Amino acid sequence: MAEASRWHRGGTPKPNLHYSKEVEIRTTLQELALYFIFLINLCILTFGMVNPHMYYLNKVMSSLFLDTSVPGDERTNFKSIRSITDFWKFMEGPLLEGLYWDAWYTKNTLYDLKNSSRIYYENILLGVPRVRQLKVRNNTCKVYSSLQSLMNECYDRYTSKNEDLADFGLKCSPNWLSTFPWHWGFVGVYRNGGFIFTLSKSKSETKNKFVHLQLNSWITRGTRVIFIDFSLYNANVNLFCIIRLVAEFPATGGIITSWQFYSVKLLRYVSYYDYIIASCEITFCIFLIVFTTQEAQKVREFKSAYFKSVWNWLELLLLVLCFVTVAFNIYCNIQIFLLLGDLLKNTEKYSDFYFLAYWHTYYNNILAVTIFFAWIKIFKFISFNKTMSQLSSTLSRCIKDIVGFAIMFFIIFFAYAQLGFLVFGSQVDDFSTFQNAIFAQFRIVLGDFNFAGIQQANRILGPIYFITFIFFVFFVLLNMFLAIINDTYSEVKADYSIGRRPDFELGKMIKKSYNNALEKLRLKKPEEDEDKKSAKQMKKWKERLEKKYYSAEIQDDYQPVTQQEFRELFLYAVELEKELHYVSLKLNRVMRKISTLQP
């Protein structure tokens, strides 16, 4: 089996022999070149999945449906809805006007109205929009006995157990859909089902439906969430835009609005560039097979020692992410192939593209995480120069001190987070939940804080909390962290200054290969072999030290050591350590071969 490079062995020093170094150079450079090809292929693949048109499509749609004011009240739009009356005004105003574009600005009809609406004249509305709500039953919570004379109805927050499945109002039974994916809102997690009605192709018919539902009290006290779903397609940029507007009705009253805009490319292979992306996907799979085979060989060769290197764990993580990415890609393509034709076939019904957009978005997220760790793996080749090697040495040497510091830091940090949540949680949005309090404190460290809100919530504990947090966390703990890094870096730099340098520097390897190529082409005079130079230097140090400290002529027991002599002695000891390590490796290799030969 070919000898693996130092990177595969997790940084184990190699024997200081000419032949071993030549093998090391060749193996490492081959691995580095192969990985750069893989990284370039992965970058082309990832950037081919997104384009700037996605952002602009989301922006123009959000501006149309979120920022457009209701008629007669410029301060009210979908983002600022706070009551049921405002919600119906939005449905009959900005939503209705935004969904149905049936004529050019000159009032001339541009296409057959039976086809579909074209929002902004470029984005065709697929099927018809759908509106659905989820409700909870009455008496899902208990009213205190002393207050039952004032209120005998109680509607709890939404859960699947509290959900109301009975007919109401217009006597329309709920229409249950697939149970996945659920929607994660601000105040609850909602199932994919409920009481549903679809809009019409006609603007006037849709408006009559809104009026009819409003008159028959379609929204009740038990309503907990309303979803407005519809999908668009822009042929100019080959993008689907799946839109979901959400209005949550918390048990406290009022309305909390949220929204989702997914611009995705479901029709993958249309242009010539798309086929280039397809070739990159095939190349990616080939690289994945090659890397998996390499890692399997290394695990079989080094066994438990393989898992002692952090870089090997990163390698395994990257392989797992690559396999997950391939699985997501295959699943998304299969679902698009099975569902897309049926969704586009019937234009009189709601076309549920949300499921496809949901999984396609997760595929993009997995791909983004994969490319992130792929770039991090570049640090596996970090010792290509002195500065980067010092950085890696500093981080590896101070990791124990950082772990100890992190325990102390987060004890104090979480104590302040709980204090802020309990004291300011009911009045300050940044501390409304424990998670928000944690993020708010990170923002305080970075200089982004709302001191006026904290002080207004509690005029005594507010300033005390803020001042003590800034003092202990910002001035004390963060400076301790910087001191740990600084002291360790100073130690590493001092070691490098007296000669303790990495045995394996990629820059030196590339330079040596370049010089060898020039020598073979007779463009440069051959230099003395590095091993011979090292042997001569060691012999010179040894003779000098013996002459001074072991000469029979010297009678004085005490001989001061100069800084230069100490440096030479240290380098001599380092070279001896390398030789001993090489002998140890050879002995271990021989013992393994002997153990395999025994019956």
Side-chain angles (χ1 to χ4, degrees), residues 260-313:
Q260 291 178 341
F261 292 84
Y262 293 134
S263 290
V264 294
K265 188 176 182 179
L266 299 180
L267 301 177
R268 297 283 300 279
Y269 310 111
V270 177
S271 63
Y272 291 110
Y273 182 72
D274 295 335
Y275 288 106
I276 295 177
I277 300 299
S279 64
C280 291
E281 292 176 348
I282 297 174
T283 307
F284 175 81
C285 294
I286 295 174
F287 273 111
L288 182 57
I289 295 173
V290 172
F291 290 152
T292 303
T293 305
Q294 289 180 351
E295 294 305 310
Q297 291 177 352
K298 286 183 282 182
V299 172
R300 187 165 55 250
E301 180 180 357
F302 300 107
K303 298 180 180 179
S304 60
Y306 172 85
F307 300 98
K308 295 181 181 180
S309 172
V310 176
W311 296 116
N312 292 336
W313 282 103

Side-chain angles (χ1 to χ4, degrees), residues 16-240:
N16 190 18
L17 294 178
H18 181 73
Y19 174 76
S20 299
K21 280 203 169 185
E22 290 296 330
V23 174
E24 193 173 15
I25 291 171
R26 185 172 61 253
T27 307
T28 303
L29 292 180
Q30 288 175 355
E31 180 186 355
L32 182 59
L34 184 66
Y35 186 73
F36 268 115
I37 296 174
F38 165 76
L39 191 60
I40 293 172
N41 178 82
L42 185 58
C43 288
I44 296 174
L45 178 61
T46 52
F47 285 114
M49 299 301 299
V50 295
N51 60 67
H53 297 297
M54 292 181 175
Y55 168 76
Y56 293 120
L57 183 57
N58 287 338
K59 182 179 180 181
V60 71
M61 290 302 154
S62 62
S63 176
L64 177 63
F65 292 102
L66 302 181
D67 300 330
T68 304
S69 302
V70 301
D73 188 358
E74 295 182 356
R75 295 177 300 176
T76 303
N77 52 30
F78 183 78
K79 295 180 180 179
S80 61
I81 290 176
R82 293 296 178 266
S83 65
I84 298 177
T85 302
D86 293 340
F87 179 80
W88 285 117
K89 288 181 180 179
F90 167 78
M91 297 286 282
E92 296 175 357
L95 179 66
L96 195 65
E97 297 296 330
L99 286 174
Y100 298 96
W101 295 56
D102 50 12
W104 189 247
Y105 66 93
T106 58
K107 306 302 181 182
N108 296 328
T109 302
L110 297 180
Y111 49 86
D112 187 4
L113 294 178
K114 294 182 179 180
N115 184 9
S116 186
S117 172
R118 298 187 183 181
I119 300 174
Y120 280 119
Y121 314 112
E122 303 291 347
N123 305 280
I124 184 171
L125 181 64
L126 301 175
V128 292
R130 182 187 68 184
V131 181
R132 66 184 178 95
Q133 72 160 308
L134 295 174
K135 301 178 57 180
V136 295
R137 300 186 308 274
N138 186 16
N139 298 323
T140 50
C141 52
K142 290 185 178 180
V143 180
Y144 190 66
S145 57
S146 301
L147 299 175
Q148 289 181 356
S149 59
L150 301 176
M151 178 178 291
N152 57 4
E153 297 177 341
C154 189
Y155 296 88
D156 199 1
R157 62 185 180 88
Y158 175 84
T159 61
S160 57
K161 295 182 179 179
N162 296 338
E163 190 168 353
D164 187 3
L165 306 179
D167 297 341
F168 78 102
L170 301 176
K171 304 297 182 183
C172 295
S173 300
N175 184 7
W176 297 109
L177 309 174
S178 60
T179 58
F180 190 83
W182 289 22
H183 181 85
W184 188 3
F186 284 110
V187 294
V189 180
Y190 306 100
R191 298 174 62 181
N192 191 9
F195 297 90
I196 296 172
F197 77 90
T198 56
L199 305 187
S200 173
K201 290 279 187 180
S202 172
K203 181 178 180 180
S204 58
E205 291 181 7
T206 300
K207 186 173 183 179
N208 292 334
K209 280 189 175 183
F210 287 157
V211 174
H212 187 59
L213 290 171
Q214 186 176 4
L215 293 176
N216 288 273
S217 300
W218 189 69
I219 300 177
T220 65
R221 286 187 58 195
T223 301
R224 284 295 171 259
V225 65
I226 293 179
F227 298 95
I228 306 170
D229 298 301
F230 53 96
S231 304
L232 312 172
Y233 175 69
N234 190 307
N236 300 333
V237 293
N238 188 27
L239 289 178
F240 289 81

